[in-house]
Amino acid sequence: MAKRALITGVTGQDGSYLAELLLAEGYEVIGLVRRSSTLTIERISHIQDRLTLVSGDLVDEVSLINVLRDCRPSEVYNLAAQSFVQTSWTQPVLTGEVTALGVTRILDAIRIVDPEIRFYQASSSEMFGRVRTVPQDEHTPFYPRSPYGVAKVYGHWITVNYRESYNLHASSGILFNHESPRRGLEFVTRKVTHGAARIKAGLATELRLGNLDAQRDWGYAADYVRAMWAMLQRDTPDDFVIATGETHSVRELCEVAFRAVGLDYEDHVVVDPAFIRPAEVDLLVGDATKAHSVLGWKCEVDFYGLVEMMVAADLDALAR
Ligand code: NAP
Ligand code: F7E
């Protein structure tokens, strides 16, 4: 019989890649979708007829209990979140409700309906924030720098706590930034690749950005969802850092993306204080040694390959 998995956040970047992966592995895939006045299924429209979409919301526990009772998945991947760091300063309470308490709601629903369900929590390198060591691994202490980071620390520890309190098969993937042509336009990689493509196409002349010196460990989302799945296939639940081990600045990102369209970023990028954050995470670089050795995971696409892929996809979309 096919395994059945529930993905919260199926309409997001990672949800769409994970749904593709699980379908390829022969799963029945259920996607939790929150009610909206407009359709938000652009990223999964190509596989929509192979998915079962169910209605629910991480702020509504009864909806989660009912979905688990009706669908009886054996694996739950909790990818839903208010995931944009900048918005977490303007909507800190909502961010806490969804990104922090939402994790408790889904864990409790699992505990009530079927404690045998295996659970994946989408934790984040933003938990490391003002980093205590370089590079960061599973033992690096957390020092979050935004309401989003704080909420993710809560989500991480409640996952560990339910594993230890109720013996749930609950794992937490501490994923560093991962991007793709499906990345939301507000995140810096996609903002830059889309911006460079628009300028190349003559649709804009400048791109307004914030801190060009911030450094991130950027990987490819399709590589990272393989790690999520691998975590739930192990007999023992655990926590894993998933990262490329390389860091690059936003400035380098601009250089590579504008070069890919034959332009110089310095002619077009304008620093705008509106995009400077109240508190910044200056440097992230992950050490994924444990994932390499225990999960056999490695990434296939590097920073340059990723940026070129995203620029090409944006040029292509604009041409269409
Ligand atoms: P994303 O594209 O922003 O997707 C977020 C998803 O959460 C969307 O499907 C969204 O639905 C859903 N959602 C938001 N609020 C919800 C609610 N109240 N109830 C149910 N669903 C809700 O994020 P992503 O980049 O795919 O990231 C997936 C997860 O990994 C997130 O938890 C994120 O915080 C975490 N993470 C991401 C990265 C990264 O670099 N991408 C790194 C580490 C951790 P709508 O489509 O309706 O908005
Ligand atoms: O910013 C700087 C900004 O918004 C990256 C989420 O998926 O990854 C993501 O969070 C850096 C920051 O991602 C602009 O100040 C400069 O230092 O692309 P971002 P993020 O904040 O790292 C983590 C791992 C997650 O878990 C999150 O869910 O780029 N930056 N200028 C800018 N950032 C944006 N967005 N826009 C700018 O104009």
Side-chain angles (χ1 to χ4, degrees):
M1 210 171 73
K3 279 196 191 174
R4 192 176 300 143
L6 172 74
I7 304 174
T8 75
V10 73
T11 54
Q13 170 188 260
D14 291 7
S16 68
Y17 285 109
L18 181 64
E20 284 173 2
L21 173 77
L22 295 178
L23 288 172
E25 292 291 335
Y27 281 68
E28 273 179 50
V29 181
I30 322 278
L32 186 87
V33 180
R34 58 180 169 158
R35 197 262 157 195
S36 156
S37 66
T38 49
L39 279 181
T40 58
I41 56 165
E42 195 184 322
R43 294 187 180 100
I44 50 170
S45 54
H46 61 298
I47 48 171
Q48 195 193 343
D49 56 350
R50 300 169 63 202
L51 304 175
T52 304
L53 298 182
V54 294
S55 182
D57 199 301
L58 278 199
V59 300
D60 188 309
E61 172 126 23
V62 168
S63 72
L64 302 175
I65 292 172
N66 285 336
V67 164
L68 293 184
R69 279 206 179 121
D70 292 347
C71 302
R72 306 303 303 208
S74 55
E75 296 174 10
V76 170
Y77 295 85
N78 183 39
L79 309 187
Q82 190 305 94
S83 76
F84 188 41
V85 171
Q86 185 98 43
T87 293
S88 77
W89 276 285
T90 52
Q91 300 183 15
V93 175
L94 174 88
T95 302
E97 279 292 347
V98 180
T99 306
L101 284 177
V103 188
T104 311
R105 293 191 188 96
I106 186 105
L107 282 165
D108 253 336
I110 288 172
R111 191 174 63 79
I112 291 164
V113 175
D114 178 5
E116 294 302 309
I117 291 172
R118 294 186 176 197
F119 177 76
Y120 172 83
Q121 167 57 16
S123 289
S124 166
S125 53
E126 284 295 298
M127 302 190 303
F128 297 125
R130 181 180 277 174
V131 296
R132 308 280 91 186
T133 56
V134 179
Q136 299 85 49
D137 66 15
E138 292 79 5
H139 303 291
T140 305
F142 299 141
Y143 191 145
R145 293 275 283 167
S146 63
Y148 169 82
V150 173
K152 281 290 179 186
V153 171
Y154 176 92
H156 174 79
W157 282 119
I158 202 71
T159 300
V160 173
N161 182 261
Y162 271 50
R163 175 166 80 215
E164 294 175 354
S165 303
Y166 303 113
N167 206 23
L168 296 188
H169 192 296
S171 294
S172 171
I174 306 174
L175 271 54
F176 282 61
N177 299 53
H178 46 279
E179 321 290 316
S180 74
R182 297 182 200 166
R183 187 58 141 155
L185 285 166
E186 67 275 38
F187 298 92
V188 77
T189 51
R190 184 77 196 290
K191 187 171 171 183
V192 169
T193 62
H194 187 251
R198 277 177 57 81
I199 292 169
K200 180 68 180 174
L203 298 171
T205 53
E206 66 170 30
L207 177 63
R208 304 184 85 79
L209 295 173
N211 178 7
L212 302 186
D213 296 318
Q215 290 174 266
R216 289 290 185 278
D217 179 331
W218 279 296
Y220 176 39
D223 283 342
Y224 284 38
V225 298
R226 285 191 281 104
M228 301 176 184
W229 177 71
M231 285 178 220
L232 297 209
Q233 307 319 303
R234 296 182 69 243
D235 290 339
T236 320
D238 205 345
D239 307 324
F240 292 91
V241 160
I242 303 297
T244 70
E246 265 184 42
T247 192
H248 298 273
S249 66
V250 173
R251 193 182 305 282
E252 276 178 272
L253 164 69
C254 293
E255 273 166 18
V256 176
F258 278 81
R259 200 187 310 133
V261 297
L263 297 173
D264 181 343
Y265 87 95
E266 291 191 276
D267 296 334
H268 302 283
V269 169
V270 177
V271 172
D272 183 338
F275 297 106
I276 304 279
R277 298 178 176 184
E280 181 61 288
V281 171
D282 295 314
L283 165 69
L284 287 175
V285 56
D287 175 355
T289 304
K290 181 176 169 186
H292 297 157
S293 60
V294 178
L295 302 177
W297 176 85
K298 62 179 174 50
C299 48
E300 309 277 345
V301 176
D302 71 2
F303 171 74
Y304 301 98
L306 173 68
V307 176
E308 279 157 23
M309 176 204 304
M310 291 175 67
V311 171
D314 279 318
L315 285 172
D316 191 46
L318 286 176
R320 275 185 281 115

